[in-house]
Amino acid sequence: MVLCIVALFVFAILGIFSVRYRKLAVEAFDCAVRKVVFRPCESKLDERIRAKVVAKVLVKSPKAASFLNKNFEVFSLALFVLTLSSTGYIIYGVYNLLTIGTCDPITGTCIFSPLGANVTDTKPVCAHTGFTEFYGEGCPHCEKMEPIVAEVEVETGVVFEKLEIYYNETNLQEMLTHANDIEQDCGILGTPTFFSTKTNKSICGEVSKARLKAFILQNG
Amino acid sequence: MIEHLVENMNINKIREDFPIITNSKVVYFDNACMSFKPKQVINAINEYYTNYGSCAGRSYHKLGKITEEKFEEARNKIAKFIGSKKEEIVFTKNTTEAINLVANVIDFSDKKKVVTSNMEHHSAILPFQQLSGKGKINLDFVVADDKGEMTGDMWAEKIDKNTKLVVAHHTTNSIGTAAPLNEITKIAHEVGALILVDGAQGAPHSEINFKKSNFDFFAFSGHKMLGPTGTGCLAAKLDLLNKLPPFLVGGETIEKVTLDSATFTKPPHKFEAGLQHYSGFIGLGTAVDYLSKIGMKEVKKHEIELARYLLEGLKEIEGVIIYGLSDPKRKNCGIVTFNIKNIPPHQVSIMLDEMEKIATRSGVFCAEPAMNHLGAPNGAVRASFYLYNTKDEVDVFINSIKKISVISYK
């Protein structure tokens, strides 16, 4: 029975591309249905598959063919389990591809992201690491911090979610929701501000690489 | 006219005449089902369709006349081939139809018993089984021995004065055993019974002399003897054909028709309703020319040689079970049927095809009662030879069976 089900699965997929396999898929379906109710497969598809596979192995190795023939049902069951689990992994993979895309977890760049960012958008859509950098377009202190932030991200594996606040109202509002916490640690609301969404702690302005790394370690 | 004369049995020359052998590169051991066709037969069919393809027996134009001439010439050749008169050859589409024809035209009102055997092909059993089911006949069976053979005495026990018809095989298609036809014919005629011989495996492989053998009916197929598919013949004694009513009726079977009645024509046309398979029988005429040039004795000798060689090889392989005559010295036809222990016959057949492109038949060969009787209810594998098979092919076959037998397990 399992052989018929595996055959149905394989021929159904191949039948998408070739008419020849559609007929076999129909045969396999009939065979599988009959086997489920303990009736013999009329077309003898299962016997034909077995004979063809064993014959091909027999040409190469009689011992292997003998072993295969003797344990064909076991091999069929193993193949059935492998087919099911492969199908599961493929479905899971396709789901991930559609929802997450092909994002680089370190740089945050996404080559393909069907439901999110496009190729030119460097905003990371990978899972949020819990750290945000509020910056401003044209902010000189922010520009000075760029290479330091890049180095720290590579060395720690932590990527800052970068939100521009001078021109992006939404991002500004986001920063304002944490205004009390930021002012508590930094005294003012300014850029660049490095904020931990886990501890609500922040450091601001131009800071050293070591200080930024320490901030990540203490608040991650 | 034979384009390529074959002298004696030059197998290589013969094989050149069969384009399918070169094209398919197959080792073809399924001749008991269907034989290949030589190019001469193919050309004859092509000639019909390209040069004169018309109706016979109806049209007065040139093409019609040519068709009629060629068609009746083929009938003449076939009649000569099996030793009968031209008028005694009724064209059918196969042996099955020929047997059905006999079953449905004989009057069983005076005597109801029909005797046949458990080794017959389904086509020789079912028409009479149907009649028996309707209460028109009483069907009785001669049961063969465990080798599938029968003696004259076994038939004599069943054939009595109530017997109207005896149905016997020339050669069984399942295992190649032969019925003692001379004895059976004599026994049947002694009690006033008719004898119908299933010659499907006889005519392609043996010399047949219908007149000398004194059969009442002899049915055979053209497609098993190098002829096209859809061709078969019933040879029947002319006086019987004159008395028997037609089976299928319609055009060609009549001399005159009114709205109320019809006057039927003479045999064999009385039994050939509708347009016939002109190209087929013209091709079959060419096929019998081909076989006649080689000689049926030579054909049979060649097949028996191959069968004995195969048997010798199979007997050396562990796990092979041979049905019918297993002694190579006694083997007298080109059919060898066997199984390999613990491997289903279909699996063996598919593996042979997959491994070495060897074509065999597997299953019960449309002879389920016979195979049940021989202890092979799931069937067996059958290798059947013809004039174009070679010893090299048998060697390939034996080696493949040796390999397959290795995977058999207890």
Side-chain angles (χ1 to χ4, degrees), chain B residues 379-404:
Chain B
V381 182
R382 181 185 70 190
S384 49
F385 304 115
Y386 213 7
L387 69 170
Y388 38 70
N389 292 125
T390 65
K391 263 194 178 154
D392 286 346
E393 289 181 323
V394 178
D395 283 330
V396 169
F397 187 84
I398 292 170
N399 286 334
S400 301
I401 296 294
K402 273 188 189 146
K403 285 182 190 164
I404 294 171

Side-chain angles (χ1 to χ4, degrees), chain A residues 155-172:
Chain A
E155 286 171 25
T156 62
V158 167
V159 177
F160 283 88
E161 187 188 5
K162 297 171 183 63
L163 302 178
E164 200 285 329
I165 61 167
Y166 288 2
Y167 299 100
N168 190 317
E169 188 61 32
T170 309
N171 292 343
L172 177 61

Side-chain angles (χ1 to χ4, degrees), chain A:
Chain A
M1 176 172 76
V2 288
L3 185 58
C4 292
I5 295 171
V6 173
L8 171 61
F9 191 80
V10 171
F11 292 140
I13 292 174
L14 291 172
I16 296 168
F17 308 103
S18 166
V19 171
R20 174 181 154 201
Y21 291 105
R22 279 172 222 166
K23 278 175 150 181
L24 288 167
V26 170
E27 234 185 292
F29 177 76
D30 180 70
C31 202
V33 164
R34 284 176 173 274
K35 289 280 187 178
V36 160
V37 293
F38 302 106
R39 284 162 70 196
C41 180
E42 265 192 5
S43 68
K44 311 237 186 264
L45 178 65
D46 49 346
E47 285 184 27
R48 278 158 38 211
I49 294 173
R50 180 186 190 140
K52 283 185 184 267
V53 170
V54 172
K56 288 206 187 302
V57 176
L58 185 58
V59 170
K60 305 281 181 204
S61 165
K63 266 191 181 160
S66 181
F67 182 74
L68 175 64
N69 189 52
K70 193 173 174 179
N71 301 292
F72 204 81
E73 284 76 18
V74 173
F75 278 104
S76 301
L77 188 61
L79 187 61
F80 178 60
V81 170
L82 279 171
T83 305
L84 275 183
S85 37
S86 304
T87 309
Y89 276 115
I90 288 169
I91 293 170
Y92 183 61
V94 169
Y95 171 75
N96 279 339
L97 184 68
L98 288 174
T99 53
I100 300 168
T102 57
C103 300
D104 186 317
I106 296 171
T107 65
T109 52
C110 300
I111 297 164
F112 175 70
S113 178
L115 300 179
N118 58 32
V119 141
T120 57
D121 190 341
T122 56
K123 180 181 169 182
V125 296
C126 298
H128 200 281
T129 57
F131 287 93
T132 306
E133 181 193 351
F134 296 106
Y135 74 98
E137 206 56 58
C139 153
H141 302 293
C142 305
E143 283 173 18
K144 283 187 181 165
M145 280 302 295
E146 270 179 31
I148 296 169
V149 168
E151 276 181 40
V152 166
E153 283 178 341
V154 169
E155 286 171 25
T156 62
V158 167
V159 177
F160 283 88
E161 187 188 5
K162 297 171 183 63
L163 302 178
E164 200 285 329
I165 61 167
Y166 288 2
Y167 299 100
N168 190 317
E169 188 61 32
T170 309
N171 292 343
L172 177 61
Q173 292 304 316
E174 171 70 17
M175 189 180 184
L176 290 172
T177 60
H178 304 293
N180 288 339
D181 292 318
I182 294 169
E183 279 173 352
Q184 199 172 338
D185 290 335
C186 296
I188 53 163
L189 280 182
T191 57
T193 296
F194 302 95
F195 182 77
S196 165
T197 53
K198 192 174 172 185
T199 60
N200 291 325
K201 292 287 184 187
S202 43
I203 53 172
C204 310
E206 290 178 41
V207 296
S208 66
K209 185 167 114 173
R211 181 132 184 256
L212 191 56
K213 276 173 94 170
F215 174 72
I216 287 169
L217 282 169
Q218 287 157 15
N219 296 285

